[in-house]
């Protein structure tokens, strides 16, 4: 290898060396994909994660390619100790790791969400701990990135429906695929060995996977398929909740995921503050279930009935117990 190539390889591996250093220093490394548009949201939500976790955490923030130098400085100032991995610094290394997987490389080239599926596992030292930048925490907690007593290889949040990268009409083409039901890949903890690139490469080649029409769900669908191949439990949805119109928050709620359809509500919700409690809430888990034909028929029926249903559009305004 020429001296120039050695220098380039050294630069590519610097983020990895820094992650090893931080792992040795202590604290669970929690990864997050972030973009220029969502800087302020990320500061609010990731700040609440650090504030309320009773277990030491340090953040590893993956640039989707849109962060500026000013963005990086803003994040490291607001989120003390955060590690910023700029996309150009790892592109060559990740692409080399995907050299035998052309579909994976193409998916990563086309869609920033793919960094969650490839960069985050590749740069995770042991377990893969991930949290989106739009999940707001409101009370002291433990158990989110800690393994429960049950023998499992993955923990993931539960959505209020199964949102995946294929359409209802593709139901009968899923004979060769098994998916976990109601997966929301906004926050999860997984053993690194469940991340099987051979399987992801195969899965990305399925005809029923709609890369173009439903590109925003492809990464989540891949995780649902990976989680279905191992022992997986889900965070208690009364404690880790996906915000939606008509939702009635439980008194036990710890974290709320403000997805794109309700994200405009996040700032006003966060401005009211969280709940300061002397005792931390332990986040519990529930069994997961596989996606079956009964659920797909129910989803199809709801889709057909949507124009005729009266939908409650009200949203909670603050944490339960707070006025």
């Amino acid at each position: 290898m020429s001296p120039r190539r050695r220098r380039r390889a050294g630069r590519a591996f610097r983020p990895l060396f820094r992650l090893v250093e931080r792992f040795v220093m202590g604290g669970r490394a929690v990864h997050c994909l972030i973009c220029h548009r969502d800087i302020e949201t990320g500061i609010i939500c990731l700040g609440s994660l650090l504030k309320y976790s009773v277990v030491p955490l340090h953040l590893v923030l993956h640039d989707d390619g849109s962060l500026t130098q000013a963005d990086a400085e803003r994040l490291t100032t607001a989120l003390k100790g955060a590690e910023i991995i700029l996309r150009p610094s790892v592109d060559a290394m990740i692409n080399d790791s995907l050299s035998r997987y052309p579909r994976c490389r193409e998916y990563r080239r086309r869609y920033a969400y793919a960094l969650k599926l490839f960069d985050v596992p590749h740069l995770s030292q042991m377990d893969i701990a991930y949290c989106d930048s739009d999940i707001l925490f409101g009370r002291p907690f433990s158990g989110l990135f800690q393994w429960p007593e049950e023998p499992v290889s993955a923990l993931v949040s539960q959505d209020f429906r199964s949102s995946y990268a294929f359409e209802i009409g593709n139901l009968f083409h899923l004979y060769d695929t098994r998916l976990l039901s109601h997966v929301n890949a906004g926050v999860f903890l997984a053993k690194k060995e469940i991340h099987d690139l051979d399987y992801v490469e195969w899965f990305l080649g399925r005809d029923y996977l709609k890369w173009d029409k439903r590109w925003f769900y492809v990464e989540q669908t891949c995780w649902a398929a990976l989680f279905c191949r191992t022992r997986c439990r889900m965070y208690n949805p009364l404690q880790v909740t996906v915000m939606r119109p008509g939702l009635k928050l439980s008194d036990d709620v710890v974290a709320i995921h403000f997805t794109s359809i309700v994200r405009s509500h996040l700032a006003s919700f966060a401005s009211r503050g969280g709940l300061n409690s002397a005792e931390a809430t332990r986040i519990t888990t529930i069994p997961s279930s596989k996606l079956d034909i009964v659920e797909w028929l129910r989803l199809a029926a709801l889709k057909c009935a949507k124009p005729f249903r009266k939908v409650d559009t009200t949203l909670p305004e603050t944490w339960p117990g707070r006025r």
Side-chain angles (χ1 to χ4, degrees), residues 5 21 24 41 112 114-115 149 173 209 228 238 270 272 286 317:
R5 288 176 66 92
E21 182 182 86
V24 172
T41 297
L115 274 66
E149 294 181 359
H173 298 285
L209 204 62
C228 197
L238 297 179
R272 299 170 187 265
I286 62 172
E317 295 182 356

Side-chain angles (χ1 to χ4, degrees), residues 60-307:
V60 182
L61 306 182
H62 295 255
D63 160 36
D64 75 338
S66 65
L67 291 187
T68 65
Q69 188 60 41
D71 292 334
E73 293 173 1
R74 174 96 170 90
L75 287 166
T76 52
T77 300
L79 303 170
K80 300 298 184 184
E83 180 78 35
I84 311 292
I85 299 181
L86 297 176
R87 181 168 182 169
S89 71
V90 295
D91 269 345
M93 176 176 62
I94 301 299
N95 286 331
D96 284 348
S97 74
L98 300 177
S99 59
R100 296 191 298 111
Y101 306 101
R103 295 190 190 98
C104 294
R105 280 174 65 106
E106 178 62 13
Y107 175 48
R108 185 180 184 274
R109 183 187 70 81
R110 290 169 60 181
Y111 301 109
Y113 283 179
L115 274 66
K116 222 170 127 175
L117 189 60
F118 302 121
D119 296 41
V120 168
H122 190 83
L123 293 174
S124 295
Q125 295 308 300
M126 295 178 65
D127 300 332
I128 306 167
Y130 182 86
C131 186
D132 271 347
S133 63
D134 55 0
I135 300 178
L136 184 68
F137 293 79
R139 58 162 29 115
F141 70 89
S142 64
L144 187 66
F145 298 116
Q146 296 166 278
W147 294 110
E149 294 181 359
E150 295 83 2
V152 296
S153 297
L155 302 173
V156 66
S157 61
Q158 185 184 75
D159 213 332
F160 57 91
R161 66 184 174 210
S162 295
S163 299
Y164 298 141
F166 41 79
E167 298 169 347
I168 297 295
N170 296 122
L171 169 65
F172 298 106
H173 298 285
L174 297 177
Y175 59 88
D176 60 354
T177 305
R178 297 291 180 268
L179 298 175
L180 214 59
S181 175
H182 289 78
V183 165
N184 182 296
V187 57
F188 62 85
L189 176 65
K191 300 289 187 183
K192 193 165 181 176
E193 57 264 27
I194 78 164
H195 188 255
D196 184 344
L197 280 174
D198 291 317
Y199 181 78
V200 174
E201 176 74 10
W202 171 85
F203 187 63
L204 288 174
R206 300 302 88 195
D207 292 338
Y208 46 74
L209 204 62
K210 303 298 182 183
W211 278 35
D212 297 322
K213 287 185 179 179
R214 300 176 70 82
W215 57 269
F216 41 86
Y217 286 138
V218 172
E219 163 263 324
Q220 180 162 278
T221 308
C222 288
W223 282 117
L226 289 169
F227 292 151
C228 197
R229 304 175 77 227
T230 190
R231 294 171 297 182
C232 180
R233 289 178 68 86
M234 291 186 153
Y235 298 119
N236 185 341
L238 297 179
Q239 296 178 310
V240 181
T241 298
V242 178
M243 179 66 86
R244 65 185 185 276
L247 175 67
K248 307 299 181 187
L249 289 174
S250 164
D251 289 341
D252 296 324
V253 67
V254 170
I256 304 173
H257 191 173
F258 287 82
T259 57
S260 57
I261 60 172
V262 295
R263 195 165 299 148
S264 60
H265 192 65
L266 188 152
S268 62
F269 195 101
S271 67
R272 299 170 187 265
L275 300 169
N276 292 316
S277 171
E279 185 175 352
T281 298
R282 174 79 182 186
I283 294 176
T284 58
T285 62
I286 62 172
S288 61
S289 61
K290 294 181 180 180
L291 188 65
D292 57 23
I293 191 169
V294 174
E295 182 182 349
W296 271 112
L297 291 174
R298 183 181 66 82
L299 290 172
L302 289 174
K303 185 174 182 179
C304 293
K306 187 175 181 179

